[in-house]
Amino acid sequence: MFITIGNHPFFNHRKSERVFREFFRTYRVIFINHVNDPAAPPPFPDNFFSPDDLLMLNLADVDTDKPGAMTPEQARKIIDFAIRNDHRMLFIHCVEGYSAAATIGGILNWYCNCSREPDSYYQIFKDRKCGNLINTHVRDSLLRELRRRYGSLANLTAAIRLRRTRERFLALLTGFYTKKIFAQHPQLVKWLKKFPCVSFSGKAVSGDPEVLRLAQGEFLHANCGITCCNGNILVIDTSNTGRMQEIFSRMLELAVPESYAVKGENYEDFFAPFAEKFNIWLYKNHKYFLKLLKHSPKDAAIALLAEKQFKYANIFGKQAFTLQSRKFNKLYAEYKQHNV
């Protein structure tokens, strides 16, 4: 489950009902209102006050011996809301966007995501350093609620370890399943060989490492697909227009990653660093994949290889990719200007 944190200004330029409709199609919200100002409404229209979309809490960012501190009932509501069977991402909102909100996000991230692999939602949340300011009372309240459900934190930790083991085991099984699919569907292999692809590490050995992140927005803007796994980025030129190679060459002028490769004849070795991500995706989407494979092997190959595509991103994702693309082109223009 993807978890992110935002403060009040996040919604200042999101005023239209259309924008909020798109937002709640993607996110559920835990809205923290300060207990001293409980009448202050959330910054979105009343018709989005659904219990499926929104959990409102009135609490103060204080310790347990002060008025307005988190109660056991509020801790229970947070856990119930977070673990509900809902595919949307979780947005934790408060006035400042740190301390209590960051602590809630950190505990939920640990509970829901720490069985995942390092490149997944768990590490994304940690890398953003959302939990630098910890509210110990909020942390202890949520842990007490989890302990109540599992009997002890030792049982909770054992359950998380079991979930991690189960996921890895399923990924292993899916690996054999993947090989079977590749062996029995030559049309899929045809497209895996046909699509131009490049891969590169997310870490740079020279130049500005930020370029490697900004280049991903430019790739997506050029109708390429992207998959990230264990610090490596795979780019697939779904339109086969040659734009991918052009962007990749420009990226290498600005920054050189620790490793990079262009797909050649041996496609299996090229895709090997991303096999784990493919296996997990196939396990979760195998019915959809088999139907797609039957009707369009080309679309099946794209669905497997391209975790992100610009046309399937929500409105906020498209805005972020467009901004990355603009920054990348600006950096390249400045580079060329100083190296003419």
Side-chain angles (χ1 to χ4, degrees):
M1 177 173 63
F2 184 87
I3 302 172
T4 190
I5 294 170
N7 55 15
H8 202 73
F10 176 85
F11 291 103
N12 285 349
H13 63 285
R14 294 172 170 86
K15 297 297 185 183
S16 72
E17 185 163 322
R18 181 186 64 82
V19 171
F20 282 120
R21 189 180 301 110
E22 181 66 29
F23 177 79
F24 279 102
R25 189 178 293 123
T26 309
Y27 290 95
R28 297 178 294 147
V29 176
I30 295 177
F31 182 84
I32 302 173
N33 207 0
H34 198 281
V35 71
N36 294 331
D37 191 17
F44 27 81
D46 294 351
N47 54 317
F48 295 105
F49 285 21
S50 163
D52 292 332
D53 298 330
L54 175 68
L55 173 63
M56 292 182 59
L57 300 170
N58 293 325
L59 62 90
D61 194 359
V62 295
D63 295 328
T64 182
D65 58 343
K66 298 179 181 178
M70 178 180 282
T71 65
E73 177 65 15
Q74 289 174 327
R76 182 189 63 78
K77 288 181 178 179
I78 290 172
I79 300 298
D80 287 342
F81 188 79
I83 65 175
R84 188 177 298 160
N85 187 19
D86 193 311
H87 69 281
R88 290 175 295 174
M89 297 177 278
L90 185 62
F91 187 95
I92 304 173
H93 174 277
C94 73
V95 175
E96 299 295 338
Y98 58 82
S99 193
T103 305
I104 293 171
I107 294 296
L108 293 179
N109 183 53
W110 171 72
Y111 175 62
C112 298
N113 295 332
C114 77
S115 68
R116 315 301 178 186
E117 295 307 316
D119 66 309
S120 71
Y121 300 144
Y122 178 65
Q123 194 63 37
I124 290 172
F125 185 91
K126 290 186 66 178
D127 288 346
R128 289 179 175 176
K129 304 185 185 303
C130 296
N132 285 347
L133 297 174
I134 299 299
N135 183 311
T136 55
H137 173 63
V138 170
R139 179 196 64 193
D140 294 343
S141 297
L142 293 172
L143 290 177
R144 273 195 298 269
E145 173 60 23
L146 291 171
R147 185 188 297 118
R148 183 188 67 80
R149 297 178 182 224
Y150 285 90
S152 69
L153 285 181
N155 290 343
L156 170 60
T157 305
I160 290 174
R161 288 174 179 166
L162 179 62
R163 193 166 67 207
R164 181 189 298 117
T165 302
R166 187 185 297 116
E167 276 213 1
R168 289 177 176 172
F169 180 66
L170 290 174
L172 181 63
L173 290 179
T174 312
F176 295 116
Y177 181 62
T178 308
K179 292 177 181 178
K180 185 177 179 182
I181 288 178
F182 286 174
Q184 294 182 354
H185 294 85
Q187 287 297 315
L188 178 65
V189 173
K190 168 190 169 183
W191 286 105
L192 293 177
K193 291 180 177 179
K194 188 170 183 178
F195 281 126
C197 298
V198 297
S199 68
F200 56 92
S201 168
K203 297 180 179 180
V205 292
S206 66
D208 186 356
E210 180 71 359
V211 168
L212 304 183
R213 185 183 70 85
L214 298 178
Q216 295 179 48
E218 179 70 353
F219 282 124
L220 290 166
H221 230 258
N223 295 320
C224 296
I226 284 182
T227 291
C228 301
C229 181
N230 296 328
N232 295 309
I233 295 96
L234 169 67
V235 183
I236 166 177
D237 189 356
T238 57
S239 57
N240 202 8
T241 58
R243 282 278 291 136
M244 181 195 72
Q245 288 89 340
E246 177 188 343
I247 297 168
F248 188 62
S249 298
R250 290 163 59 190
M251 184 192 79
L252 292 179
E253 291 184 61
L254 297 173
V256 179
E258 285 185 346
S259 61
Y260 59 91
V262 177
K263 182 171 68 66
E265 292 296 324
N266 195 341
Y267 73 96
E268 291 183 348
D269 288 346
F270 177 82
F271 290 130
F274 305 92
E276 188 174 332
K277 180 61 76 67
F278 297 157
N279 291 339
I280 293 174
W281 185 89
L282 279 171
Y283 168 73
K284 294 178 178 179
N285 303 278
H286 65 277
K287 291 183 179 179
Y288 165 74
F289 179 76
L290 289 175
K291 288 180 181 178
L292 198 60
L293 190 60
K294 181 178 180 181
H295 294 95
S296 175
K298 176 183 177 181
D299 291 338
I302 293 174
L304 177 65
L305 298 178
E307 180 183 37
K308 298 178 186 175
Q309 293 186 69
F310 187 86
K311 62 181 178 180
Y312 295 129
N314 59 41
I315 187 172
F316 304 116
K318 288 179 179 177
Q319 289 175 351
F321 299 149
T322 301
L323 183 60
Q324 288 178 339
S325 175
R326 288 173 181 170
K327 288 182 177 179
F328 176 82
N329 287 319
K330 182 180 178 180
L331 285 175
Y332 187 74
E334 292 173 352
Y335 168 79
K336 297 301 288 185
Q337 185 178 0
H338 290 90
N339 290 273
V340 172

